[in-house]
Amino acid sequence: MPSYSAKSIERLKTCHPLLQDLFNEVIKHRDCSILYGHRGRAEQEEAFNNGRSKAHFGQSQHNFTPSLAVDAMPWPINWEDIKGIHEFAGFVLGVAAEKGIPIRWGGHFKNFFDGPHFELIGYTGVLKE
Ligand SMILES: [Zn+2]
């Protein structure tokens, strides 16, 4: 059975309990890596500046505490494998549906393909630097 690296576990712990529940199930079936959970102001602005995010601090679901979004990629990470990213997202969405966890995948965003991104729908939280 695949398992998360220490870094992935640390990142997942910054996420909403529902996202933790979801990805703790996903890892049992698909090897994957957690790239981001919570992003504070400095990390968010860095992500904006290098094009990894279209949002400034306060505009991303990653900025809430706990984080309402998680970025995850199938392992080994291959950004060119768009088909693999779609397949992984389909699996994650299926597990979420089974668990009754309302999530939206960044690959379904209208103006920006955000393949690793999954966020909770209908939740809000506290913004902390
Ligand atoms: Zn994201």
Side-chain angles (χ1 to χ4, degrees), residues 105-116:
W105 175 44
H108 287 149
F109 288 170
K110 281 195 180 115
N111 38 19
F112 174 46
F113 179 83
D114 197 354

Side-chain angles (χ1 to χ4, degrees), residues 30 73-74 78 80-90 105:
R30 300 292 162 99
M73 281 284 282
N78 176 4
E80 308 300 312
D81 184 13
I82 301 300
K83 203 177 156 194
I85 293 171
H86 271 88
E87 193 277 337
F88 177 70
W105 175 44

Side-chain angles (χ1 to χ4, degrees), residues 8-60:
S8 283
I9 291 169
E10 195 181 303
R11 290 165 182 158
L12 190 56
K13 277 186 181 160
T14 68
C15 297
H16 191 282
L18 287 173
L19 291 175
Q20 293 190 37
D21 183 32
L22 172 59
F23 279 88
N24 282 329
E25 184 63 32
V26 167
I27 191 67
K28 292 178 189 169
H29 312 276
R30 300 292 162 99
D31 202 0
C32 61
S33 183
I34 305 293
L35 308 182
Y36 277 104
H38 177 259
R39 280 203 291 257
R41 182 182 292 275
E43 278 176 301
Q44 185 61 43
E45 295 307 323
E46 192 195 327
F48 178 86
N49 288 332
N50 63 30
R52 279 186 287 111
S53 175
K54 300 276 186 217
H56 284 292
F57 181 77
Q59 299 171 328
S60 164

Side-chain angles (χ1 to χ4, degrees), residues 36 39 60 62 69-71 114 116-118:
Y36 277 104
R39 280 203 291 257
S60 164
H62 287 283
V70 60
D71 291 352
D114 197 354
H117 182 95
F118 300 89

